[in-house]
């Protein structure tokens, strides 16, 4: 890695080297040139090794200009001093009684010309600063266009809780891990740090890093003993400590520092966000860092050119990939920090820079909410129906008097594809409104609503929220209709709560219940049970068929003859048969006995 840092130092030292080359070209002092260049290079090397400054283009230019000025000052003063020493020696040899020493015209000419070497970097610094300010504004449209986006009206239809791996809140998972921390030998030397969601061998899990608790702990052990892992979907799961030593980690020092290893291996790319620990299917730990290049000197990243650095935490090998070509086991080559910046940019700059300022109209400006669990609370991870890790965020207007969502996004953690969902036919409650409702279900218990995620359940947009106690322990799931917030269901089990919610949707007379026919299939059979339920306003006919466990429901207002349905009737109808659904609502039915 020490050799890799030479490449990094060269990138930051171009300005210094140019200043020194100009100096030696003017004064021909080769020994001075070689000596000062080596000393300056070593100083820069050590400073970079310790500080790890950003490597975006703006920072690189500013550092190079600063070092060029510093080198020019050293050369200017050094040359003046050396010229004076040479003249003193000359006068001492010829006239021991000389009272004054004059610098030769040649050296005077050099000093006058070299003043420009001092001034030019300062002028360049002013030019870079001005260019950066202008480019930051003029690049808005180009950077916005670099976001890979698509728009959809609604998300995929959810058919069962299995397709909706509602993750435990990270606080719940972390709390359980902390309770098991004593399983680590000499646990007082370590601390629990970052936690990330990922899939390992097809299972959705949380993985948490174990880090050194200080320099002397690292010096004593030189590797952390392993990491914690826990199911992200099973509320009764207990964490497992995996004994896989990690020599390289963010809490290690010197050459064992994971951040320093990745920094040195990618000298021309800047990093964004913190590193994630990801585990392959064999249990080997890797640290993953998202890298990017700046758009000009705007300070903004190109959202379609992400790189991913993958560090083997045991061997120290670092490989840099295009994000989309990262190894298959890497679930998040694009980390949540990058996804968060994509959301921020997408929400604010659709109509350009001026539109989102205090002087603009703020047309189509939407602000990500801060009810997530990643990236300072603006991102929530989940697994989509294809098993890919995505980041969820909903958008609001930013007006505190409104609880209406302007849509929501899912950012694919592998491809960076941002899919924006917005159903303009009906208004949706945002996550702030959903949390305020869930918080009031059990006010006496002081449970907190966390991790709101918007799902499409039977064609109805629905908020699914986890309720946690004051210690971060999971208590219940809450389902809230995002259109009609009078429909609220809570339950201990995801599937049971989902079935109860569907049942309430079926009973609701509002126009937001499912009319989606994508999963409808033809069903026929003989009626085995019938029950009529009347609430004073509506009659609902419930019936079951022989060899069927599902209860079918139909509103008698839409099919008046169903009130005459009896056991033994042969019927035919279409229903959305959802996986393990206890109840299915239908809207039409043929009863053979009533046709005669």
């Amino acid at each position: 890695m020490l050799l890799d840092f030479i490449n990094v130092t060269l990138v930051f030292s171009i300005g210094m080297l140019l200043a020194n080359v100009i100096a030696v070209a003017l004064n021909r002092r080769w020994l001075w040139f070689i000596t000062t260049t080596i000393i300056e290079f070593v100083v820069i090397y050590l400073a970079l090794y310790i500080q790890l400054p950003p490597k975006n283009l703006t920072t690189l230019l500013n550092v190079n200009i600063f070092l060029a000025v510093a080198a020019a000052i050293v050369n200017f003063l050094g040359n003046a001093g050396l010229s004076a020493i040479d003249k003193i020696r000359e006068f001492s040899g010829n006239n021991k009684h000389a009272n004054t020493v004059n610098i030769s015209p040649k050296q005077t000419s050099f000093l006058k010309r070299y003043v420009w070497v001092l001034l030019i970097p300062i002028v360049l610094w002013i030019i870079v600063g001005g260019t950066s300010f202008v480019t930051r504004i003029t690049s808005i449209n180009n950077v916005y266009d670099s976001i890979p986006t698509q728009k959809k009206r609604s998300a995929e239809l959810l058919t069962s809780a299995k397709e909706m791996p509602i993750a435990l809140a990270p606080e719940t998972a972390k709390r359980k891990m902390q309770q098991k921390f004593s399983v680590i030998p000499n646990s007082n030397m370590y601390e629990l740090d970052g936690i990330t969601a990922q899939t390992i061998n097809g299972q959705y899990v949380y993985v948490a890093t174990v880090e050194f608790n200080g320099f002397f702990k690292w010096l004593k052990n030189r590797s952390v003993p392993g990491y914690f892992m826990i199911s992200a979907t099973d509320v009764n799961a207990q964490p497992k400590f995996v004994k896989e030593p990690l020599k390289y980690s963010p809490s290690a020092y010197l050459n064992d520092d994971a951040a320093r290893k990745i920094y040195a291996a990618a000298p021309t790319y800047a990093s964004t966000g913190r590193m994630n620990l990801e585990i392959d299917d064999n249990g080997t730990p890797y640290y993953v860092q998202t890298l990017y290049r700046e758009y000009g000197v705007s300070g903004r990243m190109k959202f379609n050119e992400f790189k991913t650095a993958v560090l083997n935490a045991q061997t120290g090998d670092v490989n840099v990939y295009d994000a989309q070509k990262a190894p298959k086991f890497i679930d998040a080559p694009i980390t949540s920090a990058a996804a968060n910046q994509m959301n921020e940019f997408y929400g604010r700059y659709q109509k350009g820079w001026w539109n989102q300022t205090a002087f603009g109209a703020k047309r189509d400006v939407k602000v990500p909410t801060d009810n997530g669990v990643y990236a300072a609370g603006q991102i929530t991870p989940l697994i989509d129906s294809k098993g890919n890790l995505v980041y969820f965020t909903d958008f609001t207007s930013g007006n505190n008097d409104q609880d209406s969502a302007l849509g929501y996004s899912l950012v694919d953690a592998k491809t960076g594809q941002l899919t924006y969902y917005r159903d303009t036919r009906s208004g949706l409650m945002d996550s702030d409104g959903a949390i305020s409702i869930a918080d009031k279900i059990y006010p006496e218990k002081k449970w907190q609503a966390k991790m709101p995620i918007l799902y499409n359940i039977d064609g109805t947009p629905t908020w699914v929220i986890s309720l946690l106690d004051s210690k971060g322990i999971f208590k219940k799931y809450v389902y809230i209709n995002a259109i009609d917030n009078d429909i609220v269901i809570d339950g201990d089990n995801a599937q049971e709560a989902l079935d109860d919610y569907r049942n309430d949707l079926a009973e609701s007379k509002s126009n937001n219940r499912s009319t989606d026919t994508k999963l409808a299939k033809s069903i026929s059979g003989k009626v085995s049970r019938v029950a009529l339920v009347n609430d004073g306003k509506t009659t609902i006919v419930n019936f079951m068929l022989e060899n069927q466990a599902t209860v079918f429901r139909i509103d008698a207002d839409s099919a008046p003859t169903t009130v005459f349905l009896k056991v033994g009737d042969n019927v035919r109808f279409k229903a959305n048969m959802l996986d393990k659904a206890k109840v299915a609502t239908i809207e039409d039915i043929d009863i053979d006995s009533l046709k005669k």
Side-chain angles (χ1 to χ4, degrees), residues 335-341 369-370 372-380:
T335 54
S336 58
N340 182 53
Q341 293 193 52
T369 61
D370 55 358
V373 296
Y374 280 179
Q378 293 185 336
I379 294 285
T380 296

Side-chain angles (χ1 to χ4, degrees), residues 67-83:
L67 293 177
V69 172
I73 292 174
V74 170
N75 285 323
F76 187 87
L77 296 177
N79 192 80
L82 290 173
S83 298

